[in-house]
């Protein structure tokens, strides 16, 4: 793992159209977020991590054999580590959330082709981070955004891309799914067409689900979740030790939880975003009257 100290994350301004679209839909497509050579390096790294899964003989009728959702060990691969502060996506996340964020989860999802007539496996509509389990569906807060990097094309329906229910991030109630069916009614279910290298951002409140891969190729994505620093990272996120973090690039250090507690200001991204006038200042505790 290279610490890349001294290298600064470039700035890309979130456009008003991107913000509007993200706020209306609960998701946002960022085309060409990754260069073709980066996609290639990520596929090589992902294939190494998925080697035993990819070597399994085809079992078309057992969809559960065909889905890999791998979380531990992702950051041990250099190409995957380098995505932590990727300059075409993380600046947009900072502008959509705030500088006070860290990496919350990393997942490699591979889906092998499955029987097109089989019942969809893991069709499980949900909102992320389980907040509604405690707070209900009313007035849920936006606390995190996932970036789904496409490592393969998703040009056909049911080709393995995570499916979104547009606009449901503000829905104050559960989804309504007719008995015997797998998808909700009264909402727009979006199986988005994407190219390898595109990134799909989706926020924690949007209802989404895994979808089957009925194509004839393995579908491959990496999903990196960013959340406010007061959200505990997923247990599978393996963070390098403190000695490494002390030498790391300051933004990477912050994103990997390198500050002792949440009362320590998010120095690295705060300085970075002030330099570009990228984010509103945090509200004060008190005001003069
Ligand atoms: O496409 C998938 O497997 C679903 C991913 C998902 O639900 C998630 O990352 O929260």
């Amino acid at each position: 793992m290279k610490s890349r100290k001294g290298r600064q994350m470039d700035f890309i301004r979130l456009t008003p159209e991107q913000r509007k679209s993200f706020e209306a839909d609960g998701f946002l497509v960022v085309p060409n977020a990754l260069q073709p050579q980066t996609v290639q390096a990520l596929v090589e790294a992902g294939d190494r991590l998925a080697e035993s899964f990819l070597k399994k003989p085809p079992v078309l009728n057992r969809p559960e054999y065909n889905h890999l959702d791998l979380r531990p060990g992702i950051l041990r691969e250099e190409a995957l580590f380098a995505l932590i502060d990727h300059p075409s996506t993380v600046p947009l996340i900072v502008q959509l959330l705030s500088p006070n964020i860290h990496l919350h989860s990393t997942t490699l999802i591979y889906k092998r082709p499955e029987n097109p007539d089989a019942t969809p496996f893991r069709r499980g509509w949900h909102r992320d981070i389980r907040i509604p389990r405690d707070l209900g569906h009313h007035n849920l807060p936006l606390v995190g955004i996932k970036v789904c990097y496409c490592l393969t094309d998703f040009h056909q329906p049911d080709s393995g891309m995570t499916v979104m229910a547009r606009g449901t991030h503000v829905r104050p109630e559960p989804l309504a799914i007719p008995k015997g069916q797998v998808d909700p009614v009264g909402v727009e279910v979006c199986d988005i067409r994407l190219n390898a290298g595109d990134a799909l951002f989706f926020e924690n409140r949007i209802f989404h689900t895994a979808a089957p891969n009925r194509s004839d190729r393995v579908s491959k994505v990496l999903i990196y979740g960013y959340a406010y620093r007061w959200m505990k990272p997923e247990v599978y996120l393996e963070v390098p030790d403190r000695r490494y973090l002390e030498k790391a690039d300051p933004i990477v250090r912050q994103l990997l939880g390198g500050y002792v507690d949440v009362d320590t200001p998010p120095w690295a991204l705060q300085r970075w975003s002030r330099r570009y006038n990228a984010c509103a200042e945090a509200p004060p505790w008190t005001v003069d009257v």
Side-chain angles (χ1 to χ4, degrees):
M1 251 180 306
K2 291 189 189 126
S3 76
R4 299 169 301 151
K5 199 166 186 162
R7 188 202 56 122
Q8 261 293 335
M9 183 169 72
D10 291 337
F11 178 69
I12 294 184
R13 193 166 295 282
L14 180 78
T15 67
E17 294 72 32
Q18 283 176 314
R19 184 180 291 284
K20 205 168 148 203
S21 157
F22 180 76
E23 287 177 357
D25 296 339
F27 62 84
L28 174 71
V29 175
V30 177
N32 304 314
L34 303 174
Q35 299 284 328
Q37 63 272 26
T38 308
V39 174
Q40 195 186 331
L42 293 170
V43 168
E44 283 167 15
D47 286 2
R48 272 193 293 277
L49 293 171
E51 193 182 351
S52 54
F53 170 79
L54 292 170
K55 275 190 183 151
K56 286 201 286 189
V59 200
L60 281 184
N61 287 327
R62 297 288 298 275
E64 68 276 23
Y65 281 17
N66 297 320
H67 284 219
L68 174 71
D69 181 312
L70 182 76
R71 297 183 188 224
I74 300 286
L75 299 181
R76 285 186 228 152
E77 283 284 344
E78 203 164 294
L80 275 53
F81 189 90
L83 274 190
I84 293 171
D85 62 340
H86 200 273
S88 61
T89 51
V90 177
L92 305 182
I93 300 285
V94 175
Q95 290 165 83
L96 288 166
L97 290 174
S98 87
N100 191 30
I101 57 167
H102 62 180
L103 187 64
H104 181 262
S105 63
T106 51
T107 318
L108 176 78
I109 300 181
Y110 276 24
K111 294 171 188 162
R112 301 193 310 173
E114 59 194 71
N115 181 348
D117 302 321
T119 319
F121 170 64
R122 288 186 60 209
R123 194 73 157 193
W125 286 95
H126 64 283
R127 291 176 141 153
D128 277 341
I129 325 192
R130 296 182 183 271
I131 304 174
R133 293 280 194 242
D134 298 311
L135 302 188
H137 287 287
H138 262 286
N139 297 325
L140 278 177
L142 163 64
V143 296
I145 298 174
K146 281 182 173 167
V147 184
C148 174
Y149 294 101
C150 302
L151 305 185
T152 49
D153 289 330
F154 291 85
H155 288 173
Q156 299 154 24
D158 285 336
S159 57
M161 177 44 57
T162 312
V163 173
M164 303 284 139
R166 193 192 298 277
T168 54
H169 55 307
V170 290
R171 187 180 169 92
E173 57 196 358
L175 291 178
I177 304 186
K179 268 208 170 62
Q181 296 187 24
V182 291
D183 285 330
V185 285
V187 295
E188 185 189 347
V189 173
C190 302
D191 187 358
I192 305 163
R193 303 291 177 275
L194 295 156
N195 295 318
D198 291 350
L200 170 67
F201 288 30
F202 59 99
E203 58 130 290
N204 61 287
R205 298 173 297 176
I206 189 153
F207 282 98
H208 60 282
T209 178
N213 175 15
R214 292 175 172 145
S215 73
D216 55 7
R217 56 89 179 95
V218 178
S219 71
K220 304 179 181 181
V221 300
L222 276 162
I223 303 187
Y224 282 35
Y226 296 83
Y228 291 118
R229 286 191 309 139
W230 31 265
M231 296 286 306
K232 191 174 162 208
E234 246 185 26
V235 64
Y236 304 108
L237 190 71
E238 288 173 1
V239 169
D241 68 28
R242 197 150 285 283
R243 269 173 314 170
Y244 170 83
L245 286 183
E246 271 155 20
K247 286 190 272 138
D249 167 86
I251 289 178
V252 172
R253 179 173 169 219
Q254 172 179 328
L255 291 173
L256 288 176
Y259 301 143
V260 176
D261 56 28
V262 288
D263 290 326
T264 307
W267 294 119
L269 282 172
Q270 196 169 284
R271 277 198 205 110
W272 177 90
S273 60
R274 278 184 185 150
R275 184 171 320 135
Y276 301 107
N277 203 12
C279 296
E281 288 296 316
W285 293 121
T286 61
V287 288
D288 293 339
V289 287

